[in-house]
């Protein structure tokens, strides 16, 4: 549609009705609108409109084999595009919706645009817990396909300014409702026979929360925790750059095969005792600087003064990983703004939201984890 992106400002807790109606009209007319959710900013289009959905792929430069999540504001909308769901799926919806849980469901044929599902016979659905997102979807009166509102490959946007940095002039509108909530994308799950809930992508709803709801949790290959309590060999580089942890085995969530969420600089994770981690990063960064690289460290507050680099960015405290998760993508974008070409990052324990945080750190680092 237009080449100028309209920016609306709303109170996130109680968005102006007139603005929501105007943005909803843009969606109904086949346009693209970015909006805040409780995970990250999404880029929405009418999921039933093939041309509208293809505009999302064009704006983002997203590979066409990576399906989109369909967002709804009312469970009744499911009837039009998914097959009836079982008891466990219903339980998950009752317990976690609205919220950052995406459930992969069997698709009703000839319903949503086939661009949404990338030709799969399943569709990923969630009901977001953000007043702006819910109001927009309700006003649009259609299911809204919405991936994260970033250029493909860039860190997901947690502020409207990030959306504009990537997509200004490429989308019709953005609703600025302040910072997104969790700061990481939703948890994607598939419910299998035998009561198994398989996590395809870790996110805002933790494995612990799913277990507490009575689910038997298993992990897809691309979503398994890195630290399974196995012995690690110090000094080993676990994986080559751009290699998937299970090369040859396709993840069940097509998007997980891409090395995205990445800053422009080359990034590595360094895992071990803090003395060893600080010594390793100090040496590497001195060498890199001598070669003319601009260096950066992504650190936790507790250890920030142990690092020596051109830019040491703190994402939060090891004592509050929820807050750290909120700051991850903004920090990765800052490294880009600062022109940092080599980045080393600390790791964190993989309990609770730490699992999703480590998953995104490892993706940003193209799975390069150095154990010292
Ligand atoms: P994004 O919208 O950028 O947060 O990414 C959506 C994620 O959900 C990607 O990893 C997709 O591959 C995944 N996804 C979407 N639809 C399906 C589906 N039908 N089956 C499995 N994964 C899906
Ligand atoms: Mg995304």
């Amino acid at each position: 549609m237009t080449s100028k992106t309209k920016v609306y400002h709303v109170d996130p807790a109680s968005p102006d009705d007139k603005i929501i109606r105007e943005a909803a009209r843009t969606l109904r007319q086949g346009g693209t609108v970015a909006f805040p959710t409780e995970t990250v900013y999404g880029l929405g289009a009418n999921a039933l409109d093939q041309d509208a959905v293809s505009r999302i792929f064009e704006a983002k430069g997203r590979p066409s084999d990576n399906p989109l999540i369909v967002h709804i504001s009312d469970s009744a909308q499911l009837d039009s595009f998914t097959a009836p769901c079982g008891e466990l799926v219903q339980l998950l919806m009752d317990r976690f919706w609205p919220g950052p849980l995406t459930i992969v469901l069997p698709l009703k044929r000839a319903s949503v645009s086939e661009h949404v599902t990338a030709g799969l016979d399943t569709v990923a659905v969630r009901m977001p817990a953000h007043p702006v997102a819910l109001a927009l979807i309700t006003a649009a009166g259609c299911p809204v396909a919405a991936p994260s509102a970033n250029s493909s490959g860039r860190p997901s946007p947690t502020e409207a300014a990030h959306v504009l940095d990537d997509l200004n002039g490429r989308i019709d509108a953005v609703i600025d409702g302040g910072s997104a909530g969790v700061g990481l994308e939703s948890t994607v799950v598939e419910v299998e026979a035998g009561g198994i809930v398989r996590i395809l992508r870790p996110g805002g709803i933790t494995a612990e929360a799913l277990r507490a709801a009575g689910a038997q949790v298993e992990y897809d290959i691309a979503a398994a925790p890195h630290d399974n309590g196995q012995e690690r060999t110090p000094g080993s580089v676990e994986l080559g750059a751009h290699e998937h942890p299970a090369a040859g085995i396709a993840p069940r969530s097509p998007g997980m095969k891409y090395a995205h969420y990445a800053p422009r600089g080359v990034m590595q994770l360094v895992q071990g005792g803090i003395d060893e981690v600080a010594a390793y990063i100090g040496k590497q960064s001195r060498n890199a600087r001598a070669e003319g690289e601009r260096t950066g460290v992504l650190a936790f507050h507790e250890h920030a003064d142990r690092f020596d680099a051109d830019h040491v960015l703190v994402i939060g405290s090891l004592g509050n990983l929820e807050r750290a998760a909120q700051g991850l993508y903004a920090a990765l974008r800052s490294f880009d703004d600062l022109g940092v070409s080599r980045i080393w990052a600390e790791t964190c324990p993989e309990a609770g939201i730490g699992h999703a945080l480590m998953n995104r750190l490892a993706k940003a680092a193209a799975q390069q984890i150095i154990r010292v």
Side-chain angles (χ1 to χ4, degrees):
M1 292 198 13
T2 65
S3 60
K4 192 163 175 353
T5 298
K6 192 153 190 175
V7 182
Y8 301 106
H9 295 273
V10 297
D11 173 354
S14 123
D16 183 275
D17 204 39
K18 203 165 145 269
I19 292 176
I20 292 296
R21 272 188 280 130
E22 192 174 316
R25 195 176 323 123
T26 303
L27 287 178
R28 275 199 307 278
Q29 290 171 347
T32 47
V33 178
F35 58 91
T37 81
E38 84 285 23
T39 58
V40 300
Y41 270 72
L43 176 60
N46 179 354
L48 309 175
D49 180 337
Q50 183 100 339
D51 292 338
V53 172
S54 53
R55 285 188 191 104
I56 291 180
F57 285 90
E58 269 160 42
K60 283 179 59 88
R62 182 175 173 109
S64 60
D65 67 347
N66 191 5
L68 307 181
I69 295 171
V70 176
H71 293 66
I72 58 171
S73 58
D74 183 335
S75 301
Q77 288 172 290
L78 285 173
D79 295 342
S80 65
F81 66 99
T82 63
C85 52
E87 243 171 65
L88 181 52
V89 168
Q90 192 58 54
L91 181 144
L92 294 178
M93 290 174 181
D94 292 344
R95 173 72 186 77
F96 296 107
W97 281 5
L101 182 73
T102 296
I103 309 177
V104 174
L105 296 171
L107 178 72
K108 203 176 247 183
R109 285 181 51 153
S111 53
V112 294
S113 149
E114 64 194 33
H115 290 331
V116 168
T117 57
L120 298 173
D121 55 7
T122 54
V123 58
V125 193
R126 92 177 182 98
M127 188 190 294
H130 191 294
V132 175
L134 287 173
L136 180 68
I137 300 163
T138 303
C142 58
V144 174
S148 49
N150 51 288
S151 291
S152 207
R154 290 266 284 155
S156 294
T158 53
E159 307 276 347
H162 301 160
V163 177
L164 290 167
D165 281 347
D166 284 12
L167 302 177
N168 200 2
R170 303 177 66 83
I171 60 176
D172 292 304
V174 56
I175 305 176
D176 184 347
S179 300
V182 179
L184 303 179
E185 300 80 355
S186 60
T187 304
V188 180
V189 299
E190 205 167 39
V191 175
E192 296 177 1
I196 292 166
V197 174
R198 188 172 300 281
I199 297 182
L200 308 188
R201 175 177 76 179
I205 299 295
T206 62
E208 290 87 339
L210 291 166
R211 284 195 195 99
Q216 188 186 329
V217 174
E218 292 191 4
Y219 298 101
D220 184 50
I221 193 78
H226 291 80
D227 218 344
N228 293 321
Q230 292 157 314
E231 280 290 305
R232 303 287 185 185
T233 321
S236 70
V237 176
E238 178 160 276
L239 297 157
H242 310 301
E243 230 175 87
H244 190 269
I249 304 173
R252 293 192 57 78
S253 192
M256 297 297 280
K257 68 173 179 282
Y258 295 104
H260 57 197
Y261 314 114
R264 295 196 181 100
V266 173
M267 181 165 154
Q268 290 179 326
L269 306 191
V270 189
Q271 189 168 48
I274 181 58
D275 291 337
E276 289 76 19
V277 169
Y280 177 87
I281 292 178
K283 185 161 171 251
Q284 293 291 317
S285 111
R286 275 191 299 280
N287 290 344
R289 275 157 115 176
E291 288 167 13
E293 306 267 10
R294 188 177 285 257
T295 60
V297 175
L298 194 56
F300 288 102
H301 171 72
E302 289 83 345
H303 304 145
D305 61 0
R306 303 288 308 265
F307 297 110
D308 178 27
D310 293 319
H311 300 281
V312 178
L313 300 187
V314 173
I315 51 167
S317 162
L318 280 165
N320 188 347
L321 292 181
E322 279 78 15
R323 285 289 293 278
Q326 289 172 338
L328 172 68
Y329 290 138
L332 295 179
R333 282 175 178 265
S334 296
F335 281 130
D336 289 350
D337 297 341
L338 293 163
V340 171
S341 54
R342 293 290 309 274
I343 302 161
W344 293 269
E346 284 193 76
T347 61
C348 67
E350 293 184 275
I353 195 73
H355 176 207
L357 186 53
M358 268 295 284
N359 175 273
R360 303 308 192 274
L361 280 167
K363 287 197 84 168
Q367 306 296 331
Q368 286 251 15
I369 307 179
I370 316 259
R371 300 180 204 277
V372 294

